[in-house]
Amino acid sequence: MTSRRNKSRRSGSKGGRPGSAPKRSLPRRPAARVVGVAAAALLVLGGLWLVLAPYYATILVWELRNALPLLAALALAAAAYWAVRATAGALDGGYRTGVALLAGLLGLTGGAWWMLHTFYEQDRTYLAGVEVVDGALPAVTARAPYQVGVAQARPNLGDTTGEIAGTSYLPGEDRFATLVNRRGWLAGYEVAFTQQIPLQGRGATDQKCQFDRDRAARRVAGWFGHNLGRQISSERRWVRFDGDDVYAYCDGDRPVVVVPLKRQVGVWVVVEKPAGVALYDGRTGELTFTTDTSGLPGPSYPLSIAGWQRESTGAMGSFADWFFGRVGWQVPDDQANAGNDSEFTLATVADRRPVYVTPMTGRGSATAISVVSVVPARHSGLGLAPVTVHRLDPVWVSPGAIVDRIKADYQDIPNWVNINVYEVVPTGGDGWAATLGTGQNILYRASGTGDLSGERATCLQRADGSEIRCGGAADRDGRGPGGAYGDAGAPGGGVPSGDLGGLTDAELADLHRRVADEVACRLAATCPRN
């Protein structure tokens, strides 16, 4: 009985329930092998993409390296969460999740601190090339304001079709250069032209060069094969550029597009450094690379790197000083130089060396100009350019205070309502210069001392440099810009009557100018007495 019962049990265990078919085991799929093959295929496809698409691959690698601190912070938070969740197996499910979330929060906090400290180390890296000195600012030459150069570019295009890509100042030639895109999706540049803008009046196009539409059909941000960035990436990997840095000039009748390049350096602390320039020939379409930029008429140092170096003065102290903004300098925010408030491209008087000049103020609520930074705008090599920060003694007033003083001292200028004050820029030592004009026309130049002290706190000049007057005291010789000068009791401000033959040539020219100003303000109904 026992053997028969055991046999029945054994047969039941093999066959299952009586009358049921035996189960068939399905073959197990090799999941690990499938995942491995998929990962290998993705790696192969990614490698092919990096090789065959250098333009987009460069953009992806740059953005990933820039985002590395943030990604590392998130990875640290996730690792802390899952590590605690895996090791806290003895706890109840709800308690384990709570402890894991707390660990993730602590990991995220630590990652955020590490990310901020990485940004601090980035500024410290840029700060290595910054030198703070007490010496006077070197003398720089005067030029027309950038806003006027941009405003005059469109009417000076003539019958050229196309869209303006950008306007830049070329210190080596004292000209403004404008690059024009050709209309159409699959098109390059149309023309490059330069204009000489005097310190009074309007400028005119003095040189224009045409791009070859067949052989030079690429441009920055162009479509598909007409993208100049694609050509640069295919010939020089892992370098990028900013479109605002690109400009062109005419080498005879041949247009040349200058593209200042930059590269990334570092692993955890990633900074940008110059990588020379790419020169695009507008006649042949050839692209050449060089680090010797001494022969260029314009800048070759990327503005973005110069800006990073300027802002790195905030890391001159400890991490806490950097985090709370207790040290260093910044660009004033009083809107006096709105539209172009930093990195003024100027040329030194001594050798016409192009430099970026930026007046700066202390961090916080202060608007007084306490330092001026100078960065070479033309720099050869692959290293960071030296930055010199000149301390001002005495400290200047703010650009907004200078503009208000100009308007107060020369409020008798006719038609003030249509006149703007452009670019209050340092000129060397304790001096500054500003331009008075009406959009596309320059009327006068103003200069003075940074602290607005002394007899020559502000002075007004004509285009030829001749001085009209200094300060608010009215000139009795009839050399003022307005029509209200002369004896206080003489109506018309001392306008001569009768025979004009007794006037000198200078007095007659000044009278003509004053009459024209009076006619203009009467037509506009903006005369001071109206």
Side-chain angles (χ1 to χ4, degrees), residues 34 97 147 162 169 224 237 264 312 352 354 371 391 442 451 486:
V34 173
T97 301
Q147 295 92 328
Y169 177 66
F224 305 112
R237 289 294 188 95
Q264 284 183 324
S312 69
R352 292 207 62 83
V371 299
R391 291 184 182 271
I442 299 175
D451 59 348

Side-chain angles (χ1 to χ4, degrees), residues 168-215:
S168 303
Y169 177 66
L170 309 181
E173 299 180 352
D174 191 22
R175 288 180 171 89
F176 284 88
T178 299
L179 189 57
V180 180
N181 291 334
R182 189 187 178 196
R183 288 196 161 191
W185 291 347
L186 305 179
Y189 292 111
E190 183 73 24
V191 298
F193 72 93
T194 60
Q195 49 183 342
Q196 186 91 37
I197 300 180
L199 294 180
Q200 187 176 29
R202 287 187 50 82
T205 301
D206 58 357
Q207 196 173 18
K208 182 183 292 186
C209 44
Q210 189 83 28
F211 283 80
D212 190 293
R213 297 181 178 181
D214 297 324
R215 292 184 294 178

Side-chain angles (χ1 to χ4, degrees), residues 321-414:
D321 293 333
W322 171 85
F323 183 78
F324 291 103
R326 296 189 293 224
V327 296
W329 301 275
Q330 64 184 8
V331 176
D333 57 356
D334 60 359
Q335 301 301 314
N337 285 331
N340 189 32
D341 58 359
S342 63
E343 278 76 53
F344 296 103
T345 305
L346 304 172
T348 58
V349 172
D351 52 4
R352 292 207 62 83
R353 178 173 51 91
V355 291
Y356 296 134
V357 179
T358 304
M360 296 192 292
T361 184
R363 296 184 181 272
S365 299
T367 57
I369 302 300
S370 53
V371 299
V372 177
S373 69
V374 178
V375 184
R378 185 189 299 144
H379 179 68
S380 298
L382 301 177
L384 293 174
V387 181
T388 306
V389 178
H390 298 265
R391 291 184 182 271
L392 299 178
D393 185 19
V395 174
W396 291 11
V397 299
S398 67
I402 293 177
V403 172
D404 290 342
R405 179 64 179 270
I406 293 173
K407 293 181 178 180
D409 285 350
Y410 310 106
Q411 57 185 310
D412 53 348
I413 293 179

Side-chain angles (χ1 to χ4, degrees), residues 58-120:
T58 298
I59 295 176
L60 177 63
V61 170
W62 270 65
E63 296 304 325
L64 287 177
R65 295 185 69 178
N66 287 333
L68 185 60
L70 176 61
L71 298 177
L74 297 177
L76 180 61
Y81 172 81
W82 288 109
V84 172
R85 187 176 178 86
T87 56
L91 298 177
D92 184 66
Y95 289 106
R96 182 173 57 184
T97 301
V99 172
L101 288 175
L102 179 60
L105 181 60
L106 293 176
L108 183 62
T109 303
W113 179 88
W114 179 81
M115 179 178 63
L116 291 175
H117 202 275
T118 300
F119 295 152
Y120 169 69

